[in-house]
Amino acid sequence: MEIKIPVTRKFKIRKSRRPLLEAQTKTITKTGKASMNVLMICQNFYPEIGSAANRMKNIFKRMEQRGSDVHVLTSEPLYPTAELYTDAMFWDEPTLDAAHVTRIQPRDVRATTNLWKRLHLFIEQFFLAVKEVRQDPKQYEYIYATTPSIFMGLVGVVAKHVKQAPLILDVRDLWPESLVGVGITKSRLLLKPLYWLEKWMYHQADQIVINSEGFRSYIEQKGIDASRIHYIPNSIEENEWLIKRRHVSEQVRVVYTGNIGLAQDVFLLLDVAERLMVDRNIEFHVVGYGYHKEKFEKLIAERKLTNIHFMNAMPRWDALKQLAKSDIAFATLVESTAFDTVTPGKIIDYMAMGCAIVGAVSGHAAKVIEASGAGVVSRDRSRDEIVRQIRHLANNPEERALMGRSGVSYVQTHFDWEQNEERLFEAIRQTCQQTVEVKG
């Protein structure tokens, strides 16, 4: 599978960030001669922002560090928009620029809530990826594929049979369950075959990796034995602990970072900010992108919310630095049982950077915030309650600091890659051992 450099990528002229990052990031060095050929299949990968691409990048690095030769089959960078990656600042890891990456290029890459257009994109990506798998002459010791969407996971199933190699399926979202959660569709005519494909895909996988414990019971109910399910959460890299908290103003900074999309009720934050306009010591900072970004910015202007400062999408390192100089971080998911199993990656980032968290969430996300002692939660997304919580934390710096320390400690114990990577390689060992036993 040859490396394909996207011919459509045209860089804006700007100062490079690479010397800074090269000084802060460990260079990837293999532990010896590559012992295994691995095919990684994913919809999101470097240089895309967001927890999905960051997770796959981290898994890729750890496989390479353990001596594997990893080939990545992914899409041209599209999330949240393809245009974002015409800026060279997002291509900030030279070691990954030179990696074995094949990028499929679908024709229509526009974000849309139209169900059929989204399905058309996913299906096109599926067939383009399957074509690459069939044309690839290499053989692999195992396949590592991830959802969402379900179609990239199904490419992994195809690769398993074409390459006669075992499949590790990384489930980082319950799809199509999330389609129902964001209100895209409730059509049984469409959902019934998708749920069947989901169940079949789980049974085709030799081992299953989940990034939230909330997924375990759901997958077990599909008839999957618990011994085949491995919990490997999104985690913080060693070099990211180098980012230190710093106080930048007398005002209390409330921050939101990440997707302004269908699964996040970020418009709730506008109502909260409007009610806190009278609190001159509180300011809001949003680092956002996604489907509702333009609408969100328009409403800030229309409602004259001068206490909200909006920043465009930026590389992960810069976004973490924004967290490190903030006091309170806001987390939100739309109210749906489909998201009660999810642990958003931003919550882990918030805790790692020492922010006190105010969460408009329920289910597993709420449990993590409360168990860590890193913040407070409004399960019913009450605007009055959230206003009270932010105002209280703004006026009690010692309580904020205690929550921040508790969050950092919790991440160091539960969400650190240097510890959690062993779970990854245990799943790989079981997969390879299972293959040896079958062949024997």
Side-chain angles (χ1 to χ4, degrees):
M1 190 178 291
E2 63 179 2
I3 302 173
K4 294 184 178 179
I5 304 298
V7 296
T8 56
R9 193 202 317 168
K10 296 180 180 178
F11 295 118
K12 296 177 182 177
I13 298 173
R14 60 175 294 130
K15 184 177 179 180
S16 173
R17 296 175 65 255
R18 289 186 176 181
L20 172 64
L21 285 177
E22 285 173 354
Q24 293 169 330
T25 308
K26 290 193 302 184
T27 301
I28 298 177
T29 55
K30 295 188 180 182
T31 57
K33 185 178 179 180
S35 58
M36 287 195 291
N37 251 10
V38 180
L39 176 59
M40 175 180 285
I41 301 171
C42 53
Q43 186 162 307
N44 305 105
F45 191 68
Y46 166 85
E48 286 183 316
I49 56 178
S51 61
N54 185 60
R55 176 179 178 85
M56 300 315 295
K57 180 186 73 174
N58 284 326
I59 291 174
F60 169 89
K61 285 182 176 181
R62 276 150 182 80
M63 289 178 177
E64 289 258 309
Q65 287 168 357
R66 293 289 184 103
S68 294
D69 192 4
V70 187
H71 299 253
V72 180
L73 175 58
T74 187
S75 176
E76 183 75 2
L78 303 177
Y79 178 82
T81 64
E83 292 75 18
L84 193 68
Y85 303 101
T86 61
D87 194 326
M89 74 173 181
F90 291 97
W91 301 80
D92 55 11
E93 295 203 38
T95 54
L96 288 173
D97 287 342
H100 299 283
V101 181
T102 296
R103 299 184 185 275
I104 59 176
Q105 299 182 17
R107 289 168 293 180
D108 189 357
V109 298
R110 293 171 295 176
T112 176
T113 56
N114 183 282
L115 174 62
W116 300 110
K117 287 184 177 180
R118 287 174 71 90
L119 280 176
H120 181 270
L121 172 61
F122 294 149
I123 292 171
E124 183 184 8
Q125 287 177 322
F126 171 81
F127 282 110
L128 289 172
V130 167
K131 181 180 178 182
E132 292 289 348
V133 169
R134 291 188 178 278
Q135 292 179 347
D136 176 18
K138 292 185 176 65
Q139 293 301 313
Y140 299 97
E141 271 68 34
Y142 65 91
I143 314 294
Y144 195 99
T146 181
T147 67
S149 72
I150 191 175
F151 295 99
M152 293 307 280
L154 291 173
V155 174
V157 175
V158 173
K160 169 181 177 172
H161 294 288
V162 170
K163 300 299 181 182
Q164 293 295 295
L167 170 65
I168 301 175
L169 181 68
D170 190 313
V171 179
R172 50 161 303 277
D173 203 356
L174 299 179
W175 206 96
E177 188 78 0
S178 57
L179 291 180
V180 180
V182 299
I184 289 180
T185 184
K186 293 183 180 179
S187 169
R188 291 184 59 84
L189 182 65
L190 175 66
L191 290 173
K192 187 173 181 179
L194 289 178
Y195 278 119
W196 184 90
L197 282 172
E198 178 197 29
K199 182 177 179 180
W200 180 74
M201 179 179 63
Y202 293 159
H203 281 270
Q204 286 290 304
D206 295 273
Q207 301 291 329
I208 293 177
V209 168
I210 56 176
N211 71 347
S212 172
E213 276 288 8
F215 295 167
R216 186 181 295 276
S217 61
Y218 176 91
I219 294 175
E220 287 179 2
Q221 288 171 10
K222 302 291 183 181
I224 304 301
D225 190 270
S227 64
R228 291 170 54 197
I229 303 174
H230 306 264
Y231 171 53
I232 306 172
N234 293 331
S235 301
I236 295 295
E237 280 202 285
E238 184 179 27
N239 69 294
E240 292 170 347
W241 291 115
L242 298 174
I243 300 174
K244 302 299 182 184
R245 288 192 58 77
R246 62 189 185 93
H247 193 65
V248 295
S249 73
E250 293 302 315
Q251 290 185 299
V252 174
R253 291 167 56 105
V254 181
V255 67
Y256 174 87
T257 62
N259 194 12
I260 302 175
L262 301 175
Q264 298 79 27
D265 187 10
V266 181
F267 297 104
L268 171 65
L269 185 61
L270 297 178
D271 296 338
V272 170
E274 188 170 30
R275 297 189 188 192
L276 287 169
M277 285 277 285
V278 295
D279 295 69
R280 298 298 182 182
N281 64 321
I282 301 175
E283 62 183 15
F284 293 81
H285 292 255
V286 176
V287 182
Y289 53 84
Y291 183 77
H292 287 309
K293 172 182 175 290
E294 291 183 3
K295 180 181 178 181
F296 187 81
E297 288 186 278
K298 182 180 179 181
L299 287 173
I300 291 174
E302 288 179 354
R303 295 166 70 167
K304 298 179 181 179
L305 301 177
T306 56
N307 58 342
I308 297 183
H309 306 277
F310 190 90
M311 290 169 278
N312 288 320
M314 59 185 66
R316 176 174 173 79
W317 187 272
D318 294 327
L320 291 176
K321 283 166 55 175
Q322 288 295 326
L323 292 178
K325 57 187 181 183
S326 300
D327 303 289
I328 301 169
F330 182 69
T332 177
L333 287 169
V334 295
E335 190 170 1
S336 170
T337 55
F339 298 116
D340 281 348
T341 57
V342 173
T343 307
K346 65 169 56 65
I347 289 178
I348 299 169
D349 295 340
Y350 289 170
M351 290 192 292
M353 295 298 109
C355 298
I357 299 174
V358 173
V361 295
S362 53
H364 197 68
K367 291 177 183 178
V368 169
I369 293 171
E370 292 174 339
S372 66
V376 291
V377 170
S378 175
R379 282 178 167 77
D380 60 0
R381 283 83 168 168
S382 165
R383 286 156 175 76
D384 291 337
E385 184 178 14
I386 294 168
V387 167
R388 286 196 300 271
Q389 289 170 339
I390 292 177
R391 185 174 281 148
H392 174 79
L393 289 175
N395 295 322
N396 291 273
E398 291 184 0
E399 188 172 343
R400 288 199 315 266
L402 177 60
M403 288 180 175
R405 291 192 297 270
S406 297
V408 170
S409 177
Y410 195 82
V411 171
Q412 288 173 334
T413 302
H414 299 281
F415 301 114
D416 183 86
W417 263 119
E418 298 352 278
Q419 300 175 36
N420 288 329
E421 70 175 54
E422 289 305 322
R423 300 181 183 182
L424 169 66
F425 289 101
E426 177 57 31
I428 293 171
R429 280 191 289 270
Q430 288 189 27
T431 302
C432 295
Q433 180 62 35
Q434 187 176 4
T435 305
V436 170
E437 291 173 355
V438 170
K439 289 182 178 180

